Amino acid sequence: MGNSPIFYLCDACRDNGFAMMDLPARLEPVLAGLGYELVMLERAGRGLMRIYIDKPDGITIDDCVAVSNHLTHLFTVENIDYDRLEVSSPGIDRPLVKPQDYVRFAGEQVTLKLRVPMDNRRRLSGQLVGLENEAVKLIVDGTEVSVDLRNVDAARLKPLV
């Protein structure tokens, strides 16, 4: 979504003939087999690959170590070029990346960053109602608002204070 490196990556990202944009799709079943969900994958400067994982009862440091060890071996076999690998939980302000995230987290407080402003606003905060016909529904200041999913640049759960 958007121009951020969240989940799907640009066509220009290639490693030894391996299309980086295919990496999330290839990692999802591997991580699912280990009992984890791939939330997000980022490629950052200096060869950093950052992978966010989740599971229903939350992520521990042991989970991150286990996934890191597994992926280190997998990336060696697959000849995937990276210098550093970070595996982490998505945190309490978890990003909503996939369409099913908007269904799963219905009822939660969220913040959306929009590509094109609505009513002169680029950011919306409110209670997520869900996803309907490619539109994110949320209640903002007591009013239900509908945002085309293609207009969402970034979305995150809003931690309760």
Side-chain angles (χ1 to χ4, degrees):
M1 290 177 6
N3 294 327
S4 65
I6 296 175
F7 201 66
Y8 294 104
L9 303 169
C10 66
D11 290 317
C13 298
R14 305 226 178 250
D15 285 324
N16 300 327
F18 182 85
M20 285 304 302
M21 63 186 287
D22 294 338
L23 187 56
R26 292 179 65 183
L27 286 180
E28 280 184 302
V30 170
L31 292 173
L34 296 172
Y36 301 100
E37 171 195 1
L38 174 63
V39 174
M40 185 167 68
L41 180 141
E42 292 179 327
R43 290 293 298 233
R46 299 185 184 143
L48 173 63
M49 184 181 306
R50 187 175 293 130
I51 296 175
Y52 296 91
I53 59 172
D54 204 1
K55 66 179 183 179
D57 56 342
I59 296 297
T60 66
I61 190 73
D62 291 335
D63 294 317
C64 294
V65 169
V67 169
S68 179
N69 289 338
H70 188 85
L71 293 181
T72 297
H73 295 298
L74 176 70
F75 292 168
T76 299
V77 170
E78 293 284 336
N79 198 27
I80 296 172
D81 186 34
Y82 70 99
D83 290 327
R84 294 179 300 144
L85 175 63
E86 289 181 8
V87 177
S88 177
S89 79
I92 59 173
D93 63 340
R94 177 195 168 111
L96 305 180
V97 180
K98 303 172 222 167
Q100 58 265 36
D101 290 344
Y102 295 93
V103 175
R104 176 179 172 189
F105 293 104
E108 299 289 335
Q109 293 295 312
V110 297
T111 301
L112 302 181
K113 179 181 170 194
L114 307 179
R115 291 176 176 209
V116 177
M118 288 179 56
D119 298 325
N120 295 322
R121 295 173 69 181
R122 275 202 175 285
R123 293 189 189 275
L124 298 175
S125 291
Q127 182 180 18
L128 180 61
V129 175
L131 184 69
E132 183 179 309
N133 299 324
E134 298 297 313
V136 178
K137 306 279 187 177
L138 65 154
I139 298 173
V140 178
D141 300 326
T143 303
E144 187 170 303
V145 176
S146 181
V147 178
D148 188 314
L149 187 58
R150 295 171 297 198
N151 192 24
V152 177
D153 190 42
R156 289 191 168 271
L157 292 180
K158 191 173 177 182
L160 298 175
V161 185

